[in-house]
Amino acid sequence: MSLLPPAAPILSVTPIVLPAPSRGEDIQVRVTAPLTGQQLPVILFSHGHGSSLYGYGPLTDFWAAHGFAVVQVTHLDSRMLRLPSDDPRRPEIWRSRVEDLKHILDHLPQIEDAVPGLGGRLDHGRVAAAGHSWGGHTVGVLLGARVLDGQGQPGEDLSDARIQAGVLLAPPGRGGADLSPTTARRFPFLNVSFADMRTPALVVAGDHETSSMSLRGADWRADPYRLSPGAKSLLTITGAAISLGGIPGYEAAETTDESPERVALIQQVTWAYLRSALHPQDSSWSTVRSTLAAAPHSLARLEDKSEHPFQKERF
């Protein structure tokens, strides 16, 4: 799209290791950023179940090439760490994931200094979080979603005010009776309330998913948009399943709905959303919406329920 700045050369440094004694494993971080530029806004990225800091290049490289510093983490559920099935940390991995991203924010100056040529170039006051699948759940909790206890009452508020906006990519929806019995038994933390998820967010979901996790259809993954208050937007990708055309990686085996066109659309729409969310005076989000609304091909539909003056559009 014409509003995008030219793609810049990027650098990627990994692993940056943050000590985390109480976690049982040090936190491994990957930073991807443009070689030049100052006051770079920061995106924290939370991967899907089993993945790692080495995934999601189609998004993280794109965001970095267009002006963001992206910080990825390997959560405890990653296949890289090979946690035994009976590891006592497993029931609380959902919480550990949230704490991983908070730990990164706490140590952002050290991470910045560990990357050659990056020191002094990050804007620590402009931070967003993005996550795919289970990572969408993680980001939702950081934005204010609450895991419900056994009596259906909201648990601890783990939101973080340092995060100004979020992008939830194919996130899990509402729990309770909407979960399959197997999912409810294995992942009770998916029983969440979005009633307090007030931080602005863009939810991206496919309309062609048949998930064994929920008894509902593909619209289940739009729940964080529909059931949360405040400024929210929903991008529904036509024909896409959970991998949204291939965002987990280039030629990734888990991509069942490969579509470079869908990935390109998601790259540009998420970039514009994050750019304007972190720079409120920036018009990228408004311009992208108008551009896509006028496009001849129907790749997705966009909805808003927010304080900003946008109406429902199809493109």
Side-chain angles (χ1 to χ4, degrees):
M1 294 182 183
S2 59
L3 84 161
L4 285 168
I10 61 175
L11 62 84
S12 188
V13 176
T14 190
I16 298 168
V17 179
L18 300 178
S22 63
R23 186 176 184 259
E25 302 276 349
D26 288 340
I27 295 177
Q28 296 187 44
V29 167
R30 178 190 185 109
V31 176
T32 308
L35 287 173
T36 59
Q38 299 294 323
Q39 294 296 296
L40 301 173
V42 178
I43 302 173
L44 307 181
F45 192 87
S46 178
H47 62 71
H49 178 58
S51 188
S52 72
L53 53 72
Y54 292 107
Y56 298 94
L59 289 181
T60 59
D61 290 356
F62 183 89
W63 291 334
H66 293 90
F68 290 95
V70 185
V71 185
Q72 297 173 259
V73 60
T74 294
H75 295 301
L76 287 178
D77 59 278
S78 173
R79 289 183 291 271
M80 282 180 54
L81 300 182
R82 300 181 180 180
L83 228 62
S85 59
D86 60 351
D87 190 290
R89 291 171 291 179
R90 279 198 172 273
E92 291 291 306
I93 283 182
W94 72 269
R95 183 185 295 270
S96 170
R97 283 171 143 264
V98 174
E99 292 170 350
D100 286 348
L101 298 188
K102 291 188 175 190
H103 195 76
I104 287 171
L105 278 178
D106 292 342
H107 294 83
L108 199 55
Q110 294 95 311
I111 294 171
E112 182 178 9
D113 290 342
V115 179
L118 191 62
R121 295 174 54 212
L122 297 187
D123 187 340
H124 294 238
R126 300 186 192 273
V127 180
H132 176 237
S133 191
W134 194 354
H137 176 278
T138 302
V139 171
V141 172
L142 284 167
L143 302 187
R146 308 271 286 273
V147 174
L148 302 179
D149 63 20
Q151 287 71 49
Q153 298 301 309
E156 183 182 357
D157 179 6
L158 297 175
S159 62
D160 195 309
R162 292 173 292 182
I163 297 173
Q164 296 162 277
V167 173
L168 283 61
L169 301 145
R174 183 172 57 188
D178 289 349
L179 297 178
S180 69
T182 299
T183 301
R185 182 176 64 255
R186 292 183 60 196
F187 307 112
F189 57 83
L190 291 182
N191 192 19
V192 298
S193 167
F194 300 105
D196 296 308
M197 198 180 87
R198 300 183 183 279
T199 304
L202 169 66
V203 177
V204 183
D207 69 357
H208 203 65
E209 181 184 355
T210 54
S211 173
S212 61
M213 298 180 69
S214 172
L215 300 177
R216 289 166 47 198
D219 71 315
W220 178 61
R221 294 194 183 270
D223 282 353
Y225 165 77
R226 303 191 192 283
L227 302 178
S228 64
K232 301 293 187 300
S233 298
L234 171 66
L235 182 71
T236 303
I237 307 297
T238 304
I242 189 171
S243 61
L244 297 173
I247 65 168
Y250 302 106
E251 299 181 348
E254 60 263 42
T255 299
T256 59
D257 59 331
E258 186 173 21
S259 170
E261 295 80 12
R262 292 184 191 124
V263 173
L265 175 67
I266 292 167
Q267 288 172 332
Q268 295 171 72
V269 172
T270 56
W271 174 86
Y273 182 86
L274 290 165
R275 176 69 190 174
S276 294
L278 297 180
H279 296 86
Q281 75 283 4
D282 186 273
S283 62
S284 298
W285 179 234
S286 177
T287 303
V288 162
R289 289 172 52 84
S290 299
T291 302
L292 293 178
H297 300 292
S298 179
L299 293 177
R301 62 184 181 273
L302 184 64
E303 304 173 40
D304 287 288
K305 56 164 196 174
S306 62
E307 288 82 13
H308 52 68
F310 297 134
Q311 301 299 317
K312 184 181 294 188
E313 296 175 354
R314 287 181 175 270
F315 50 89

